[in-house]
């Protein structure tokens, strides 16, 4: 067209006067213009978002709705109430505590703009890639998250956190932000804020905390589940290391002199954890186990749960739990007398019942009143299994025979498996150890360990693979022992144990509680043979009211002298029928009534543990018999529990 020839275009693309591929290569001007335009768009978008996102009203934490836990029948178990929080002003918080928190969480707090661009970028990248999103936030950002926002790990929430943090940093002074952070942060043990934490850990007001105690409380901000020294030995070790680092960090940042630092060489041990009175009896232990399953299934933290508003439906059977507690108390009252016998001091019981068909934990006994004894004996991994572990060795041998009927681990070392299995069955009856040590050599310790883990024991509870491993040096919890024994009662199938069936928040169902089908971890015939062997251990019929036969059981004869166990499983007589060839086979169906599918497998353990002592005490003389090792008491608990049904 006339008048247009030679006119320069606003955007010279495709490029004039170029031929071939060069015609499609953008010029540096186009690259620069595009980049500049993108920057302007981002700046404009940021300006719009900044203008439209307001600082919301502060959360009224103390007025939030409680979290409610329910029994398996739908009735309410307990309501975990108002948030434990007491606001204090900064003049009631020692400078040393403030310095500990700043050194631990945000050394540049007084000079930064309230946000960490690197931290936000890293969190967004981690969200996209599915990695852990915690860490990298400033104190201002953490205060904003605690006070104005939910704990959700989403891109939207992170963007809001960034914008609101900028506004808060512009509108509030640093002391105001620090005060708000100290009053809203989660320290564990049900405490929100530094004042509640000082009472929970040391029984004093925040104003009375010394620099050493303040450093430990600052360490808890990284996650009380991992750093509360009263929860486990591993926690204690982590807490000590971080406590030292925080004190050293204050020296490095000029907030503490080397001379002052040298005064704090002894770790400031906090008081023992305690539960609120609403969680007395077994309730505290039930809530503890339920919360562990919630955290594993959803990623929620104890802080999230403490904010309230959740409805948690558990698998715990109210009647069975109360019956199990009564059984332990009755056996203790009739047999344990610390005033009469020194050996009866520090005796502890733990127990758990797990349903074979789906892994539901229907009852547990965690110890004496949870408000006075925090450690959960049903879920501890500090008690050796002893001979209660030997059925897994037998199962591994039976499985090995089926896999390789003619020889053992190597062609050069053939094994007569029928003779070996006969030895193992006899040794299990007589509580003899040498045949199991020999079986460990022939089968392979790794194979035994892998079978036990597949059956339900946790790998982290397994002991070192040494010669004594088949004798039960591993220390699984009562929950896991009961769960693993369900594999024998359930035809070789194992369902992971669980304690929560459903969870909602504000009427919205929370995902993560779908149940997988049981895994076939043992041959059905192997599971059946182990069950039949356990049935033959010689425990008398209990004469239960409904005529049920005695269940398969295994007692730990105390050969390791530090623990006593009894695991009772549904009787194989309820789950088998005669095959055409005279063999005993597992029924595929599950009839109604007191069958293996309905009756739980129950593990009962007894041990002696002096608070603060690193090792368990011997059981010699417990219960009054100087020659016994207390091994008769766990079966008595199981008998009383079953007889009460």
């Amino acid at each position: 067209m006339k008048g247009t020839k030679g006119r320069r275009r606003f955007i010279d693309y495709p490029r004039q006067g170029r031929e071939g591929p060069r015609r499609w290569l953008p010029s540096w001007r186009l690259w620069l213009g595009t980049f500049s335009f993108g920057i302007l768009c981002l700046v404009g978008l940021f300006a719009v978002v900044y203008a439209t996102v307001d600082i919301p009203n502060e959360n009224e934490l103390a007025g939030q709705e409680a979290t409610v836990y329910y029994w398996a029948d739908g009735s309410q178990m307990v309501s975990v109430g108002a948030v434990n929080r007491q606001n204090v002003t900064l003049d009631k918080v020692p400078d040393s505590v403030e310095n500990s928190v700043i050194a631990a969480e945000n050394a540049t707090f007084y000079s930064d703009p309230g946000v960490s661009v690197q931290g936000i970028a890293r969190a967004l990248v981690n969200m996209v890639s599915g990695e852990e999103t915690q860490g990298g936030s400033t104190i201002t950002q953490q205060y904003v998250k605690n006070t104005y926002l939910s704990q959700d790990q989403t891109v939207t929430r992170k963007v809001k956190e960034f914008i609101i943090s900028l506004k808060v940093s512009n509108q509030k002074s640093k002391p105001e932000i620090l005060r708000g952070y100290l009053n809203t942060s989660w320290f564990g043990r049900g405490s929100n804020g530094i004042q509640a934490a000082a009472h929970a850990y040391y029984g004093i007001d925040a104003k009375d905390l010394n620099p050493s105690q303040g450093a430990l409380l600052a360490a808890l901000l990284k996650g009380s589940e991992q750093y509360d020294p009263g929860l486990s030995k591993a926690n204690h070790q982590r807490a000590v290391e971080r406590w030292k680092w925080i004190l050293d960090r204050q020296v490095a940042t000029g907030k503490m002199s080397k001379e002052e630092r040298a005064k704090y060489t002894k770790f400031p041990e906090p008081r023992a954890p305690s539960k609120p009175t609403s969680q007395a009896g077994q309730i505290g232990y039930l809530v503890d186990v339920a919360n562990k399953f919630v955290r594993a299934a959803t990623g929620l933290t104890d802080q999230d749960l403490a904010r309230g508003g959740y409805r948690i439906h558990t698998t715990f059977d109210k009647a069975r739990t109360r019956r199990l507690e009564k059984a332990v108390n009755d056996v203790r009252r009739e047999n344990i007398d610390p005033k009469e016998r020194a050996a009866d001091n520090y005796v502890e019981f733990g127990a758990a019942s797990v349903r074979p068909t789906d892994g539901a934990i229907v009852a547990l006994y965690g110890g004496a009143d949870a408000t006075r004894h925090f450690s959960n004996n049903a879920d501890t991994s500090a008690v050796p299994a002893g001979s209660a572990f030997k059925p897994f060795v037998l199962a591994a041998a039976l499985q090995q025979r089926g896999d390789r009927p003619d020889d053992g681990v190597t062609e050069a070392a053939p094994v007569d498996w029928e003779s070996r299995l006969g030895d193992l069955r006899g040794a299990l009856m007589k509580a003899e150890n040498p045949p199991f040590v020999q079986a460990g050599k022939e089968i392979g310790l790794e194979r035994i360990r892998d079978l036990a883990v597949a059956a339900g024991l946790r790998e982290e509870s397994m002991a070192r693979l040494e010669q004594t491993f088949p004798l039960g040096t591993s220390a699984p919890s009562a929950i896991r022992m009961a769960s693993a024994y369900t594999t024998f009662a359930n035809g070789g199938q194992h369902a992971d144990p669980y304690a929560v069936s459903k969870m909602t928040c504000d009427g919205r169902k929370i995902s993560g509680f779908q149940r997988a089908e049981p895994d076939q971890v043992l041959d059905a015939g192997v599971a059946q043979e182990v069950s039949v062997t356990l049935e033959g251990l010689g425990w008398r019929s209990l004469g239960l009211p409904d005529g049920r036969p005695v269940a398969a059981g295994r007692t730990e004869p105390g050969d390791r002298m530090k623990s006593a166990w009894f695991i009772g499983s549904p009787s194989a007589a309820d789950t088998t029928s005669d095959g055409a060839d005279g063999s005993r086979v597992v029924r595929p169906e599950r009839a109604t009534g007191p069958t293996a599918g309905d009756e739980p497998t129950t593990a009962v353990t007894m041990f002696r543990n002096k608070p603060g002592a690193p090792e368990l005490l011997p059981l010699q003389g417990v219960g009054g018999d100087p020659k016994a090792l207390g091994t008769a008491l766990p079966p008595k608990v199981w008998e009383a529990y079953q007889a009460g049904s």
Side-chain angles (χ1 to χ4, degrees):
M1 294 177 58
K2 185 177 180 180
T4 63
K5 187 176 181 179
R7 179 183 298 174
R8 299 192 59 149
R9 293 179 294 174
F10 181 74
I11 299 178
D12 184 20
Y13 193 82
R15 298 173 67 183
Q16 291 182 337
R18 300 290 190 273
E19 296 180 356
R22 295 181 61 195
R23 187 165 181 260
W24 301 97
L25 290 176
S27 66
W28 67 268
R29 292 185 182 87
L30 183 58
W31 279 115
L32 180 61
T34 302
F35 178 76
S36 301
F37 180 73
I39 293 295
L40 288 174
C41 288
L42 288 176
V43 171
L45 177 62
F46 177 82
V48 171
V49 174
Y50 189 88
T52 55
V53 174
D54 294 324
I55 299 178
N57 294 326
E58 290 193 6
N59 290 331
E60 295 294 336
L61 294 182
Q64 285 192 332
E65 193 175 7
T67 288
V68 182
Y69 297 79
Y70 298 91
W71 294 101
D73 64 3
S75 60
Q76 182 172 316
M77 178 197 301
V78 64
S79 174
V80 179
V83 172
N84 179 19
R85 172 185 172 193
Q86 296 171 275
N87 288 339
V88 292
T89 54
L90 279 187
D91 63 333
K92 297 296 192 296
V93 180
D95 289 345
S96 61
V97 176
E98 296 179 30
N99 292 336
S100 291
V101 170
I102 292 172
E105 295 296 304
N106 182 191
T108 61
F109 169 68
Y110 279 107
S111 60
D112 65 38
V115 296
S116 168
V117 177
Q118 287 183 331
I120 287 287
R122 183 166 57 250
L124 293 176
V125 171
N126 288 345
M127 282 181 198
V128 173
S129 61
E131 299 291 333
E132 173 64 48
T133 59
Q134 298 295 328
S137 295
T138 66
I139 282 178
T140 304
Q141 287 174 254
Q142 293 180 58
Y143 164 63
V144 165
K145 182 172 65 174
N146 292 343
T147 309
Y148 303 108
L149 301 171
S150 71
Q151 302 296 307
D152 296 338
Q153 296 297 327
T154 63
V155 173
T156 300
R157 208 274 293 154
K158 277 291 183 182
V159 171
K160 285 185 177 180
E161 176 190 308
F162 185 84
I163 297 298
I164 296 174
S165 295
L166 284 176
K167 288 194 170 185
V168 166
S169 186
N170 289 332
Q171 297 178 20
K172 291 180 180 286
S173 68
K174 291 291 186 177
E176 286 180 301
I177 293 171
L178 182 60
R179 176 192 59 79
Y181 175 69
L182 289 172
N183 282 324
T184 59
S185 290
W186 172 254
F187 290 87
R189 300 194 183 185
S191 55
N192 280 275
I194 191 68
Q195 176 72 352
H199 278 277
Y201 287 88
Y202 293 108
I204 59 177
D205 287 331
K207 65 181 179 62
D208 298 320
L209 290 167
N210 64 40
S212 183
Q213 294 168 332
L216 173 60
L217 295 186
L220 296 168
L221 293 169
K222 192 173 178 66
S224 61
E225 296 95 335
Q226 299 293 315
Y227 290 90
D228 182 344
L231 297 184
S232 69
K233 291 180 181 178
N235 272 29
H236 194 279
Q237 183 176 350
R238 283 189 290 266
V240 170
E241 292 302 318
R242 187 154 180 83
W243 166 76
K244 291 178 180 177
W245 179 84
I246 289 172
L247 290 172
D248 292 340
R249 179 69 172 159
Q250 291 180 72
V251 175
T253 57
K255 296 299 183 181
M256 179 182 287
S257 67
K258 292 182 179 179
E259 293 74 21
E260 176 77 2
R261 169 66 181 92
K263 297 178 183 178
Y264 309 115
T265 58
K266 184 178 180 181
F267 183 68
E269 296 287 353
R271 65 202 304 186
S274 63
K275 292 283 187 180
T277 56
S278 63
Q279 298 185 39
Q282 296 305 301
I283 300 300
Y285 305 119
L286 299 174
V287 169
D288 174 57
V289 170
N291 285 350
K292 287 182 179 179
F293 280 92
V294 166
R295 291 197 299 268
T298 67
L300 292 171
T301 66
D302 284 339
Q303 180 182 7
D304 299 329
L305 294 173
R307 288 175 175 271
Y310 295 101
R311 300 290 180 265
I312 299 174
H313 296 261
T314 75
T315 60
F316 304 127
D317 183 296
K318 187 188 328 184
R320 284 187 180 277
T321 298
R322 291 176 178 173
R323 201 167 74 230
L324 182 56
E325 181 179 26
K326 183 178 185 301
V328 174
N329 290 341
D330 288 349
V331 169
R332 177 184 286 278
R333 184 178 59 255
E334 295 168 5
N335 297 275
I336 304 297
D337 189 353
K339 295 180 180 179
E340 182 70 20
R341 294 179 293 273
D344 285 359
N345 281 287
Y346 311 118
V347 172
E348 296 287 346
F349 288 90
S353 291
V354 178
R355 194 162 57 213
T357 49
D358 66 349
I361 304 171
V362 297
L364 61 82
Y365 178 85
D369 192 320
T371 61
R372 300 193 301 270
H373 174 266
F374 182 78
S375 179
N376 192 337
N377 294 345
D379 200 30
T380 183
S381 56
V383 184
S387 290
F389 185 81
K390 291 176 180 176
F392 301 107
V393 183
L394 175 60
L398 288 164
Q399 193 85 17
Q400 176 97 337
R401 178 197 63 180
D403 293 344
R404 305 183 69 180
D406 297 325
D407 58 14
V409 176
T410 66
E411 298 295 333
V415 175
D416 181 350
W417 281 109
E418 291 307 320
S419 297
R420 172 62 63 219
L421 291 169
D423 286 348
L424 289 178
R425 292 188 183 99
L428 193 61
M429 301 282 187
K430 300 174 184 177
E432 296 174 343
N433 289 333
F436 285 92
V437 174
Q438 183 62 30
K441 296 177 182 177
E442 295 168 349
I443 301 167
L445 300 181
E446 293 86 356
R447 184 166 185 151
I448 295 171
R449 177 201 60 200
D450 292 347
L451 183 145
V453 170
L457 302 186
R458 289 192 178 278
E459 188 166 1
E460 55 266 31
S461 72
M462 295 290 99
R464 295 178 62 183
L465 297 182
E466 300 174 328
Q467 180 174 305
T468 55
F469 179 78
L471 306 183
T473 52
S474 298
S477 68
I479 290 174
R480 284 289 168 170
M481 281 295 277
S483 172
Y485 266 64
T486 65
T487 306
F488 304 136
N490 202 37
Q493 292 188 339
H494 179 259
D496 283 339
Y498 71 105
V500 176
S501 59
K502 184 176 68 173
M503 182 175 176
T504 62
C505 182
D506 296 328
R508 175 177 53 87
K509 187 175 181 180
I510 296 176
S511 62
F513 299 98
Q514 303 83 359
R515 300 297 304 160
E517 290 295 318
D519 293 325
Q520 190 76 41
V521 300
L522 278 180
D523 291 344
V526 169
Q528 182 59 26
E529 286 192 65
V530 175
S531 291
V532 170
T533 300
L534 293 175
E535 277 188 84
L537 291 179
W539 292 101
R540 67 189 183 280
S541 174
L542 303 178
L544 300 180
D546 58 5
R548 277 175 289 158
V550 65
R554 174 65 245 168
T555 183
E556 152 60 57
D559 51 10
R560 307 214 68 76
M561 302 179 67
K562 296 293 181 70
S563 62
W565 285 85
F566 183 82
I567 298 96
S569 297
S571 173
D574 289 326
T575 62
T576 62
S577 61
D578 291 335
D581 59 356
S583 64
R584 307 195 75 189
V585 296
V586 177
R587 293 177 184 167
E589 73 276 10
R590 295 294 181 190
T592 58
T595 67
D598 300 313
E599 287 296 300
T601 293
T602 301
V604 182
T605 184
M606 186 184 77
F607 55 96
R608 295 179 65 215
N609 182 28
K610 184 178 181 180
E615 302 291 337
L616 299 181
L617 299 173
L619 294 178
Q620 188 78 34
V622 170
D625 187 345
K627 297 181 180 180
L629 294 168
T631 55
L633 299 186
K636 286 183 178 181
V637 170
W638 187 84
E639 179 176 350
Y641 175 47
Q642 294 298 108
S645 60

